[in-house]
């Protein structure tokens, strides 16, 4: 049984309305430390909106989002990032004219203010961190390659690496394997299973075979509410889930 000290992210009664439509409706969700949670559901279920609410991109109408016991609602987006949350959107947003090394270097936490950035130096510690992260995301041999020459999957890995430079305690990824080749999906599953040993990962995904390979627990959203939650095996046997999602 999960204790309160194991819970990293706690969502209570989270609601957001757009012109009277509840995109997320009284959501209750908790994620443990070192957990890899996948959220699935049909289009319009509210999946991406949940991530937007957690990272401060969208303001909630009602409810609570606590990270390590501290309320996130009302916090500025950059302060939420500094608290230990990293967010990756569906489309890779790397610097295509910079090398892999430079993309990772520019993501290094230089400090909490302008002075910290101005005084940043490429020390041995910075170089070693870049090399470690590059190896983690399968790009150590491509450090001098410009981002524009990477494959789609490699760009996705690079963006995950850019987030790992901050060493977040919660990593949120929106459809990380969309558009990847089968071989790239295989390696991404390996990557995510490895890096969740030191952090929680929250993923939105539609590829059920991929979900089956990575998820510790699956949450099914429908019309902004939780329809079902549990192991992938139990989700696949759930008749209500089949009716609204898996059956299609």
């Amino acid at each position: 049984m999960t204790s309160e000290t194991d819970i990293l992210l706690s969502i209570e009664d989270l609601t957001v309305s757009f012109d009277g439509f509840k995109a997320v409706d009284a959501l209750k969700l908790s994620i443990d430390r070192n957990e890899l949670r996948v959220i699935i559901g049909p289009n319009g279920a509210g999946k991406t909106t949940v991530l937007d609410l957690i990272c401060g991109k969208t303001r909630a109408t009602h409810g609570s989002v606590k990270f390590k016991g501290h309320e996130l609602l009302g916090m500025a987006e950059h302060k939420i990032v500094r608290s230990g949350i990293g967010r990756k959107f569906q489309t890779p947003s790397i610097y295509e004219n910079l090398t892999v090394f430079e993309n990772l270097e520019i993501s290094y936490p230089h400090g909490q203010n302008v002075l910290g950035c101005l005084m940043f130096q490429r020390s041995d510690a910075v170089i070693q961190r870049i090399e470690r992260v590059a190896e983690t995301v399968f790009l150590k041999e491509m450090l001098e390659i410009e981002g524009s020459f990477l494959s789609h999957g490699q760009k996705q890995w690079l963006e995950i690496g850019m987030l790992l430079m901050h060493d977040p305690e919660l990593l949120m990824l929106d459809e990380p394997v969309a558009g990847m080749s089968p071989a790239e999906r295989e390696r991404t599953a390996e990557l995510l299973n490895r890096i969740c040993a030191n952090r929680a990962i929250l993923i939105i995904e539609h590829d059920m075979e991929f979900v089956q390979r990575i998820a510790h627990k699956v949450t099914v959203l429908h019309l902004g509410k939780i329809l079902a939650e549990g192991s992938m095996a139990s989700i696949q046997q759930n008749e209500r889930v089949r009716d609204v999602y898996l059956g299609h």
Side-chain angles (χ1 to χ4, degrees):
M1 187 173 180
T2 299
S3 69
E4 286 189 11
T5 56
D6 293 328
I7 296 174
L8 186 67
L9 183 76
S10 177
I11 296 173
E12 294 283 346
D13 202 24
L14 187 63
T15 302
V16 64
S17 299
F18 301 114
D19 297 325
F21 169 71
K22 290 184 177 179
V24 175
D25 188 1
L27 182 71
K28 182 176 181 178
L29 179 73
S30 65
I31 296 174
D32 294 344
R33 299 174 189 275
N34 303 328
E35 179 183 353
L36 202 162
R37 175 74 62 90
V38 181
I39 297 178
I40 66 172
N43 291 332
K47 303 183 298 297
T48 297
T49 305
V50 171
L51 301 195
D52 289 345
L53 289 164
I54 294 169
C55 74
K57 187 172 184 287
T58 297
R59 296 295 178 187
T61 307
H62 183 71
S64 171
V65 178
K66 289 184 178 178
F67 179 65
K68 298 190 292 184
H70 299 289
E71 184 62 59
L72 296 183
L73 296 188
M75 282 179 64
E77 289 184 64
H78 69 279
K79 290 186 177 179
I80 292 174
V81 171
R82 287 177 186 169
S83 74
I85 296 178
R87 163 84 183 274
K88 183 192 177 311
F89 294 86
Q90 292 180 14
T91 306
S93 56
I94 65 168
Y95 299 97
E96 302 231 349
N97 60 329
L98 298 182
T99 65
V100 168
F101 185 99
E102 290 166 338
N103 268 278
L104 295 173
E105 182 179 38
I106 209 170
S107 304
Y108 188 85
H110 302 149
Q112 303 299 314
N113 51 40
V114 174
L115 182 61
C117 294
L118 291 174
M119 296 181 67
F120 173 73
Q121 293 183 335
R122 187 184 285 183
S123 65
D124 288 343
V126 172
I127 293 170
Q128 288 169 11
R129 177 149 186 79
I130 290 169
E131 290 177 344
R132 282 198 305 272
V133 169
E135 185 171 23
T136 297
V137 297
F138 315 119
L139 295 175
K140 190 171 183 183
E141 306 305 318
M142 306 190 75
L143 283 170
E144 299 309 315
I145 303 296
E146 278 192 14
S148 59
F149 292 106
L150 300 178
S151 71
H152 173 73
Q154 289 169 333
K155 289 177 181 178
Q156 298 277 36
W157 296 337
L158 176 55
E159 189 171 11
I160 291 172
M162 291 165 73
L163 292 173
L164 291 177
M165 289 297 293
H166 289 267
D167 199 19
E169 292 177 72
L170 173 63
L171 190 59
M172 303 194 299
L173 310 175
D174 202 340
E175 297 188 41
V177 296
M180 284 190 181
S181 68
E184 287 173 335
R185 287 199 298 271
E186 189 87 11
R187 298 202 82 186
T188 302
E190 176 192 333
L191 167 63
L192 296 177
N193 280 318
R194 185 156 24 94
I195 64 176
C196 79
N198 299 313
R199 61 184 51 83
I201 305 178
L202 177 59
I203 297 175
I204 292 172
E205 189 50 69
H206 287 289
D207 185 327
M208 291 302 103
E209 185 179 341
F210 180 74
V211 173
Q212 195 162 13
R213 290 206 54 199
I214 63 168
H216 297 169
K217 194 173 184 179
V218 177
T219 298
V220 186
L221 284 190
H222 180 53
L223 301 177
K225 291 178 175 284
I226 293 180
L227 180 68
E229 200 166 64
S231 67
M232 189 59 184
S234 69
I235 293 298
Q236 288 173 316
Q237 298 302 316
N238 188 302
E239 290 188 13
R240 294 180 68 206
V241 176
R242 287 185 188 178
D243 289 342
V244 304
Y245 184 53
L246 295 180
H248 301 289

